[in-house]
Amino acid sequence: MKIIRKIKNINSNLSLRSFTVFYRNYMVWLKYYKPGVIGDILEPLLYLAALGFGVGKFIHNIDGISYLKYIVPGIIASSSMYAAAFESTFGAYTRMVTNGIYEAILLTPVGIEDIVLGEVLWGTAKAFMSGMAVLIIGIAFRWTISPFSFFIPVIIILNGILFSSLSLLITSFSPSYDFFSYYFTIVVSTMFLFSGVFYPISSLPYLVKYFVYIMPLYYTVSIIRMLDEGIIHPLILSSYLSVIILFALIFFYASVFFIRKRVIK
Amino acid sequence: MENYILTVKDLTKNFGHIHALNKITFNIKYGDFFGLIGPNGAGKSTLLKILYGIVIPEAGDTFISGLNLQYDYKKIKYGLGIVPQDDNLDEDLSVYENLIIYAMYFGIPKKESIKKSVELLTFFNLEDKKNSKVADLSGGLRRRLMIARALINNPSLIILDEPTSGLDPEYRQNIWSRLRALNESGVTILMSTHYMEEAEKLFKNVIILNHGNIVLNGSIKEITLNKKSLEEIFLNIAKN
Ligand SMILES: Nc1ncnc2c1ncn2[C@@H]1O[C@H](COP(=O)(O)OP(=O)(O)OP(=O)(O)O)[C@@H](O)[C@H]1O
Ligand SMILES: [Mg+2]
């Protein structure tokens, strides 16, 4: 009951002012975007090329499709995860702690709820850029040809919201930049390697497989792969979507709660 | 209450077992130039942070322009200009952009915010720094930009936490004259300091804070009438 009241309270304080926070980040990004773009867009393409062509030479197909085509959906999901995670940890920490931007914004009518929402939207925008770059390459080279692929951007956005929120939650606890290495090693890289980006999780040992089900990335990879291959299982699709949305909501509200706790004494 | 722009009643704040504020009660009249004086750690910043919503008190009521801070803090912010003790300018933006973005947080239309920003840059003698990066400004200029930023929304109450500390006398006087001009134009000012000379020159009414308690409350004239200087009063208080 207490939680419901808190959520209602957060909802009533959310407003369009969150876009001003988004816009501020965008304005700063416009000034320094060049080095950032390399990480967000070029890196996933390097993965795609190196593994797709390199490893793909030895693995002729997985479930009947070429290895390169197989990993495209996974790279879309994982690159958008990385982009959101970087922005909402290192980027957000710099704004919140190092530069005191949150405190400065709180002196205006923009509240902490709007700041967090604005940050999530911004992290999602970065995720979108990164994921879309891979998708566009995929479509351009006809690696993905299903008409359902046009729904993939929606999943990229959900994935961005999910990982921005989770990363902000981590940031709200983080005592320093160093702390993020734990997050990236234990959470982000683990998901990158075990969520079915590079191989079907059915090839994993029995116990490890169950562990994968608590990884949010698994669900986005699966949905994007479904859309990409054009074989839709409505029940799986809807239940996986629900899982993603549930994860995203939990992480979002938790991060509002804990960032408020951190910034307002 | 109608005569007061700010009413504070029984405000209490503890950090663990540090009693930062003990049942603080005072009022500020419209148009006042009100001073908050006290030695390091007296609770000045804590009090001001409560007023601008970065610190939540354990107990007590605060009304600003007749609105209850606990419920109407967003509405209150529209009429408030705030200069915190630690400067938190947006390092990634230029001087001008700092003002424009801040106006955006207040929902001020673009046209209006451009006009106001130019006006403020002129008022604070920052025109030639308009496109400089904030990181390249000297301490004195940063402080002026902080005050300029706080005025972007035409506030009726400005709260400044030691805006002149660490500045050389020229810069300090420079800021004094601008604050005086603002006050004369009808803006109410609440400002903390531990420079007694500054307090005597600027403030009409003051409270002196020590260990989270108000030890003296009145007009500067009354306080300095029979005793000697504010400096001596202050040193006496700080000793206890
Ligand atoms: N976030 C905090 N956590 C714990 N203690 C705090 C916190 N903020 C302030 N304090 C304590 O509360 C007391 C009052 O601090 P405050 O910053 O209000 O003093 P001040 O009068 O502004 O001092 P100064 O002139 O040095 O700025 C001090 O003992 C300080 O250590
Ligand atoms: Mg202080």
Side-chain angles (χ1 to χ4, degrees), chain A residues 13 17 24 31 104 106 265, chain B residues 54 56 78 90 97 102:
Chain A
N13 280 319
R17 282 289 146 76
R24 182 248 160 231
K31 296 186 173 205
L106 283 174
K265 308 273 157 40
Chain B
I54 298 281
I56 306 292
Y78 284 99
D90 203 323
E97 286 166 336
Y102 226 64

Side-chain angles (χ1 to χ4, degrees), chain A:
Chain A
M1 276 304 108
K2 220 177 146 193
I3 290 186
I4 293 177
R5 217 179 45 234
K6 284 204 167 114
I7 291 177
K8 274 192 177 156
N9 195 12
I10 290 173
N11 287 343
S12 68
N13 280 319
L14 287 172
S15 76
L16 290 176
R17 282 289 146 76
S18 47
F19 282 100
T20 60
V21 178
F22 176 93
Y23 186 76
R24 182 248 160 231
N25 291 344
Y26 171 68
M27 214 166 135
V28 174
W29 178 81
L30 274 186
K31 296 186 173 205
Y32 309 107
Y33 75 93
K34 277 170 199 146
V37 164
I38 292 187
D40 291 335
I41 292 179
L42 213 59
E43 199 179 306
L45 299 180
L46 289 178
Y47 269 102
L48 197 62
L51 293 166
F53 294 123
V55 179
K57 187 120 192 187
F58 301 96
I59 304 167
H60 294 298
N61 69 73
I62 293 183
D63 300 340
I65 46 179
S66 81
Y67 189 64
L68 182 70
K69 279 189 189 173
Y70 182 82
I71 62 171
V72 168
I75 301 284
I76 291 174
S78 62
S79 69
S80 57
M81 168 183 74
Y82 268 105
F86 272 113
E87 185 59 45
S88 301
T89 50
F90 293 100
Y93 188 87
T94 302
R95 293 186 281 273
M96 177 170 75
V97 181
T98 316
N99 291 349
I101 301 292
Y102 291 7
E103 264 198 46
I105 297 177
L106 283 174
L107 307 180
T108 75
V110 179
I112 196 83
E113 298 84 0
D114 286 332
I115 294 178
V116 176
L117 181 58
E119 286 281 28
V120 168
L121 292 173
W122 176 241
T124 303
K126 298 288 287 283
F128 190 70
M129 266 189 302
S130 189
M132 283 307 282
V134 182
L135 177 63
I136 288 168
I137 295 285
I139 291 173
F141 286 91
R142 301 189 149 259
W143 293 326
T144 162
I145 41 171
S146 148
F148 292 105
S149 293
F150 289 99
F151 292 104
I152 292 177
V154 179
I155 308 300
I156 298 177
I157 290 173
L158 282 177
N159 200 41
I161 296 175
L162 169 70
F163 284 105
S164 282
S165 302
L166 171 62
S167 306
L168 280 173
L169 181 59
I170 300 297
T171 303
S172 75
F173 294 111
S174 183
S176 69
Y177 288 105
D178 297 330
F179 185 77
F180 296 131
S181 342
Y182 295 115
Y183 173 58
F184 276 93
T185 309
I186 298 169
V187 181
V188 179
S189 300
T190 307
M191 279 197 271
F192 179 54
L193 295 171
F194 288 92
S195 296
V197 173
F198 301 110
Y199 50 85
I201 65 157
S202 55
S203 43
L204 288 170
Y206 191 71
L207 273 176
V208 182
K209 204 157 57 186
Y210 280 95
F211 201 61
V212 171
Y213 290 121
I214 62 164
M215 298 181 182
L217 186 68
Y218 166 72
Y219 298 95
T220 31
V221 172
S222 304
I223 294 182
I224 295 176
R225 183 159 291 140
M226 229 186 264
L227 294 170
D228 175 78
E229 291 172 4
I231 309 159
I232 310 292
H233 308 284
L235 193 67
I236 297 181
L237 179 71
S238 55
S239 53
Y240 281 18
L241 260 181
S242 313
V243 172
I244 294 174
I245 292 170
L246 190 70
F247 267 127
L249 286 174
I250 293 172
F251 294 149
F252 175 73
Y253 287 112
S255 57
V256 174
F257 183 80
F258 287 105
I259 287 180
R260 177 209 295 284
K261 235 180 154 173
R262 172 134 188 193
V263 179
I264 298 175
K265 308 273 157 40

Side-chain angles (χ1 to χ4, degrees), chain B residues 6 10 24 33 63 71 90 139 148 187 202 227 235:
Chain B
L6 177 83
D10 293 334
I24 297 292
F33 202 137
F63 290 89
Y71 308 111
D90 203 323
V187 179
L202 286 178
K227 302 236 178 88
L235 287 173

Side-chain angles (χ1 to χ4, degrees), chain B residues 44-45 85 161-162:
Chain B
K44 303 182 295 294
S45 295
Q85 184 166 10
D161 198 354
E162 302 195 21

Side-chain angles (χ1 to χ4, degrees), chain B residues 174-192:
Chain B
N174 199 297
I175 285 176
W176 289 350
S177 72
R178 281 169 176 84
L179 291 178
R180 247 191 231 112
L182 282 166
N183 183 239
E184 274 155 23
S185 76
V187 179
T188 310
I189 298 178
L190 164 58
M191 167 175 157
S192 74

